[in-house]
Amino acid sequence: MKKLAEVLKDWEAVIGLEVHTELTTLETKMFCDCKLSHDDPPNTNVCPVCLGMPGALPVPNEKAIESIVMAGLATNCEIQRHSMFYRKHYFYPDMAKNFQTTQGPVAFCMHGHLDLEVSGEGAKERPDNTGVEKNSDGSYTAPIRILRIHMEEDAAKMVHVGGEEGRITAATESLVDYNRCGTPLIELVTEPDLRTPEEARLFMEKLRETFLTLGISDCSLENGSMRCDGNISLRRRGETRLGTKTEMKNINSFKSLHDALEYEICRQAEVLEEGGIVYQETRHWEPSHKRTVVMRVKETADDYRLFPDPDLAPFDLTDEFIDHCQARIPELPDAKRDRYIASYGIKRSDAAQIAGDPTRAAEFEAAVQVAGDKVAETVAKVMVNLVPSYETLSANQIGSIASLLAEDAITFAQAREVLDAVQESGEDPAAYVDAHGMRQSTDTDALAAIVDEVLGRCVDQVQQYHDGNKKVLGYLVGQCMKAAKGTGNPKAFNKMLSEKLEA
Ligand code: ADP
Ligand code: MG
Ligand code: ZN
């Protein structure tokens, strides 16, 4: 198969995502007051409604409607005041009612969009002059339209026993756990506006950051509370009609989403270039083999016999309700990122990384409170480069380590050593540094004396430096550090040595 870059020169990839998110932070199910359980024993959180007993009547969960309206407002959707629930029929043991309650042509949220910022290596996947303007550093912004976000309910969990990898093939028994049945689920469908695997990955990431910030779900791809199907078709560059798409399932990480789309783009290109046709089918991503395989040919909408649910009255959302949802939306990641850049002058990628994770953003802001606004940039570096390796750092510790780094009192390597030592005890990094004599001198006279001593002693290395072997500088810095017994600052030594050698 050809490589992605090769394929995308001749072909345009057209990608649309369908993203399901369980509203895991709610307390009860969508149409009954059964508890939302995550690890309770199987079939303990069930009742006549979610088990589909005849005559049981559903009552919509208002908090779930609040969550979906917040999701819609945060993704620039138009909130529909009038919408209703439909029944989507199918027969399978994971839904005892034999239909899933979902929404029809009008969803609570319609016609939104998110703007994607694509930069770095990933931006290279999109060839130049293909619909977006690229900046001088190769980065670009792609507006991605959202068709709709509708409300529905999750099905029960099936456990296939005896087969390989829990798959149904070769299983000897299949078990059903109805605890998950009736869990509030929102499905977001994008327009087919994504053009590269990287754009799809970033879109999914941005959606996750947004929903996490709203607090409507724990958004775990790994545990399946956030799931994504990738639709993909190809067309020759310049062609305006859409090609036939395939739909990919079993994508449970950002990497899988990227790799599955990359594989499928290359596979379709090969089929088309050999004169074959792409069939509209659902395919299963196999991460271990890095390939997609056919699951089933596409069912059509008619098979579901979709019609309005007579047990559920149509909705009339009021302005007050929508205002109430709007008021509950906290500062969103993009706004937070822009505020960090404007108030602290932090590097854009660092600011975006911190702002995207509400827990980290709160930690960052608390640490800046401790260390002071002037040190915010170093706090950001600490948040991005050090904090992820530790589990239990407090805002005080993060603020303190950032202050030490900002004063050049310790090196980055020493910062790790200090954090390793204090992460569990909760000790203050500054106190630890002083107690262990790690604080580095910035007394230039003392350092200059050491530099002169080392240069006088290491005649051979100095000659090598002048002969063009600049790498020997590292050795000289090491000699200075040794002479200073670790209290010197390598950055300062490096600067002073270079100055003297180049003089
Ligand atoms: P289906 O009825 O098969 O579920 P939809 O029309 O509902 O298809 O679209 C599902 C997703 O597939 C949407 O995200 C949409 O943007 C995307 N999509 C639709 N047509 C194409 C196409 N030809 N190529 C790629 N993606 C597509
Ligand atoms: Mg679909
Ligand atoms: Zn129930």
Side-chain angles (χ1 to χ4, degrees):
M1 282 198 310
K2 283 190 190 165
K3 288 245 178 342
L4 182 71
E6 195 69 20
V7 170
L8 291 184
K9 275 186 211 154
D10 303 329
W11 298 93
E12 179 169 52
V14 175
I15 303 167
L17 299 180
E18 294 165 278
V19 184
H20 289 88
T21 309
E22 282 180 7
L23 303 178
T24 54
T25 55
L26 295 181
E27 282 174 7
T28 55
K29 292 190 182 180
M30 189 60 226
F31 298 111
C32 58
D33 55 13
C34 285
K35 192 177 125 208
L36 279 191
S37 63
H38 305 291
D39 34 41
D40 289 340
N43 298 307
T44 50
N45 296 305
V46 291
C47 75
V49 173
C50 54
L51 288 177
M53 302 287 176
L57 284 175
V59 178
N61 180 342
E62 187 175 323
K63 289 263 183 298
I65 313 291
E66 209 173 286
S67 297
I68 193 173
V69 169
M70 284 167 67
L73 291 169
T75 52
N76 310 296
C77 287
E78 295 160 12
I79 306 304
Q80 304 301 305
R81 281 163 176 72
H82 307 287
S83 71
M84 56 176 120
F85 280 112
Y86 278 60
R87 292 182 175 188
K88 184 177 173 180
H89 295 81
Y90 69 95
F91 176 75
Y92 199 63
D94 69 356
M95 187 61 88
K97 299 186 292 188
N98 289 345
F99 62 84
Q100 178 195 36
T101 308
T102 178
Q103 292 200 278
V106 181
F108 280 116
C109 317
M110 304 286 295
H111 311 302
H113 68 91
L114 282 180
D115 289 337
L116 280 189
E117 276 188 25
V118 193
S119 61
E121 271 306 297
K124 292 188 190 149
E125 282 184 3
R126 184 151 178 161
D128 295 346
N129 306 315
T130 53
V132 293
E133 201 146 321
K134 288 196 175 179
N135 303 313
S136 54
D137 64 354
S139 66
Y140 63 90
T141 302
I144 309 301
R145 290 170 303 155
I146 292 163
L147 173 63
R148 56 191 269 138
I149 313 177
H150 64 254
M151 185 87 238
E152 55 184 42
E153 55 179 340
D154 210 351
K157 190 157 95 191
M158 303 277 298
V159 184
H160 305 295
V161 191
E164 176 204 350
E165 276 182 43
R167 302 276 310 275
I168 194 164
T169 338
T172 52
E173 283 158 291
S174 291
L175 308 173
V176 196
D177 176 6
Y178 285 102
N179 282 353
R180 197 180 69 184
C181 195
T183 297
L185 199 65
I186 61 176
E187 177 176 350
L188 179 148
V189 183
T190 75
E191 295 282 1
D193 286 351
L194 298 151
R195 292 291 175 269
T196 65
E198 175 69 1
E199 288 177 17
R201 193 186 68 76
L202 284 173
F203 181 88
M204 186 71 178
E205 217 167 73
K206 181 151 191 172
L207 205 58
R208 179 171 185 274
E209 291 176 351
T210 305
F211 290 173
L212 275 178
T213 302
L214 292 176
I216 60 176
S217 173
D218 65 3
C219 299
S220 165
L221 273 69
E222 209 182 349
N223 299 333
S225 59
M226 198 170 187
R227 312 189 277 270
C228 165
D229 302 335
N231 297 270
I232 171 90
S233 68
L234 295 190
R235 61 185 173 194
R236 286 278 177 194
R237 293 230 167 257
E239 171 68 62
T240 50
R241 266 176 319 168
L242 290 172
T244 304
K245 73 179 166 80
T246 59
E247 177 172 353
M248 258 155 325
K249 304 258 183 200
N250 191 40
I251 292 169
N252 51 18
S253 69
F254 290 109
K255 187 168 183 332
S256 284
L257 176 59
H258 181 279
D259 294 353
L261 287 169
E262 175 171 6
Y263 171 87
E264 188 61 15
I265 290 169
C266 298
R267 187 193 69 85
Q268 288 188 11
E270 188 171 82
V271 169
L272 294 169
E273 284 175 7
E274 284 173 354
I277 48 173
V278 170
Y279 295 98
Q280 180 161 343
E281 61 198 7
T282 304
R283 302 179 66 91
H284 183 90
W285 170 243
E286 295 186 338
S288 49
H289 294 102
K290 287 197 163 294
R291 65 175 183 201
T292 61
V293 294
V294 183
M295 261 170 85
R296 56 171 183 261
V297 291
K298 183 71 191 175
E299 60 284 309
T300 63
D302 297 346
D303 298 337
Y304 291 121
R305 207 162 65 90
L306 207 67
F307 66 74
D309 192 321
D311 284 347
L312 288 157
F315 280 87
D316 266 312
L317 298 186
T318 61
D319 289 345
E320 276 139 312
F321 180 77
I322 297 171
D323 289 347
H324 158 80
C325 296
Q326 180 73 58
R328 285 198 51 208
I329 296 182
E331 184 181 38
L332 293 171
D334 282 0
K336 198 167 264 176
R337 174 202 62 203
D338 293 344
R339 177 166 63 83
Y340 291 167
I341 296 170
S343 2
Y344 308 127
I346 295 170
K347 197 165 89 180
R348 192 172 186 84
S349 57
D350 286 358
Q353 226 185 93
I354 298 167
D357 179 339
T359 313
R360 263 215 239 177
E363 265 180 344
F364 167 73
E365 293 187 20
V368 170
Q369 286 271 312
V370 172
D373 287 7
K374 287 210 186 76
V375 188
E377 213 182 327
T378 314
V379 176
K381 280 194 195 126
V382 170
M383 289 301 305
V384 171
N385 300 301
L386 289 173
V387 172
S389 328
Y390 300 92
E391 264 172 35
T392 55
L393 297 178
S394 68
N396 280 326
Q397 290 176 314
I398 297 169
S400 168
I401 208 85
S403 297
L404 289 164
L405 283 166
E407 291 159 21
D408 276 334
I410 55 171
T411 63
F412 219 77
Q414 284 179 312
R416 276 191 195 282
E417 196 186 319
V418 175
L419 291 179
D420 284 340
V422 304
Q423 63 165 332
E424 268 167 32
S425 66
E427 198 183 338
D428 175 30
Y432 182 91
V433 163
D434 288 331
H436 292 77
M438 292 169 84
R439 196 178 280 272
Q440 296 181 342
S441 163
T442 39
D443 171 353
T444 15
D445 289 345
L447 298 184
I450 294 174
V451 167
D452 288 339
E453 186 269 321
V454 168
L455 287 176
R457 166 156 63 81
C458 302
V459 189
D460 288 351
Q461 283 77 12
V462 170
Q463 188 54 48
Q464 285 173 27
Y465 183 90
H466 290 308
D467 291 345
N469 180 11
K470 307 281 179 204
K471 273 192 280 184
V472 79
L473 189 62
Y475 172 83
L476 295 171
V477 170
Q479 289 300 305
C480 292
M481 291 293 287
K482 218 164 147 191
K485 302 201 173 58
T487 65
N489 182 318
K491 255 200 275 172
F493 279 136
N494 200 306
K495 186 157 168 277
M496 292 168 90
L497 281 164
S498 320
E499 277 168 11
K500 295 226 160 152
L501 287 164
E502 298 293 343

